[in-house]
Amino acid sequence: MRLFFDTSAFLKRYVDDPGSGRVVELMSFAVGVGSSALVLPESVSTLRRLVRENGLAEDAYCCLKEAILTDLANADICDLTPTVMEHSIRSLEHSTLRALDAVHVGSPCVYRPDLFITADARQAGAAEREGLPVEDPSRGLNVGCQSCSHED
């Protein structure tokens, strides 16, 4: 199964959050994992915010960032091509998405995954309007960090 993750769902693999268990389960069935070029900077931004808010220790941040970089090295990353931008603009014109969220919808329109995974309701709705199969993993079980043994 080819999966496409937006950042909200992708980070559930690394940070204990509602839906983390479902993300781990889905990834175990994946034959291909795709994401937008935005996933790395948005992931780092979220983790740094957690560090600033004392929800994540600096050494845990380093561990998680390394795990994300390793996983993304094996992922299909959708660049911001003219075709992705066309799909993103169409999503903006037919929904209430913000600009970067539209890129998360435009990218899987080009990648054509078996399943687009997002924990963002607006993205899910826009992706469904584009004909993409969508799942919100937030109904899954809570589990801890899957990529390192660090505990906060």
Side-chain angles (χ1 to χ4, degrees):
M1 177 183 322
R2 283 170 34 105
L3 305 175
F4 193 94
F5 289 87
D6 81 329
T7 306
S8 69
F10 180 76
L11 275 174
K12 291 178 183 299
R13 177 170 169 82
Y14 309 96
V15 177
D16 183 22
D17 200 40
S20 293
R22 181 64 178 147
V23 166
V24 171
E25 178 184 12
L26 286 166
M27 284 193 167
S28 73
F29 296 115
V31 295
V33 172
S35 196
S36 160
L38 301 173
V39 72
L40 180 58
E42 286 184 341
S43 294
V44 168
S45 175
T46 297
L47 294 176
R48 292 309 304 169
R49 178 182 52 78
L50 290 172
V51 169
R52 284 190 306 275
E53 294 173 356
N54 296 317
L56 185 66
E58 188 69 33
D59 56 344
Y61 162 78
C62 292
C63 174
L64 292 172
K65 184 178 97 174
E66 189 61 37
I68 289 168
L69 289 170
T70 298
D71 286 348
L72 289 178
N74 298 311
D76 299 319
I77 302 300
C78 291
D79 291 325
L80 303 178
T81 65
T83 306
V84 169
M85 289 297 108
E86 287 174 24
H87 285 281
S88 301
I89 290 168
R90 186 170 61 222
S91 291
L92 287 167
E93 291 173 340
H94 296 101
S95 69
T96 58
L97 291 176
R98 294 181 179 153
L100 294 181
D101 291 335
V103 172
H104 281 295
V105 174
S107 296
C109 288
V110 173
Y111 186 73
R112 302 310 300 173
D114 296 309
L115 188 61
F116 173 49
I117 301 122
T118 179
D120 183 299
R122 280 190 256 178
Q123 284 183 35
E128 287 173 346
R129 282 188 288 285
E130 292 295 323
L132 292 168
V134 178
E135 181 173 330
D136 179 345
S138 296
R139 297 184 182 108
L141 301 172
N142 286 336
V143 295
C145 171
Q146 299 298 309
S147 301
C148 66
S149 60
H150 187 276
E151 295 181 18
D152 283 330

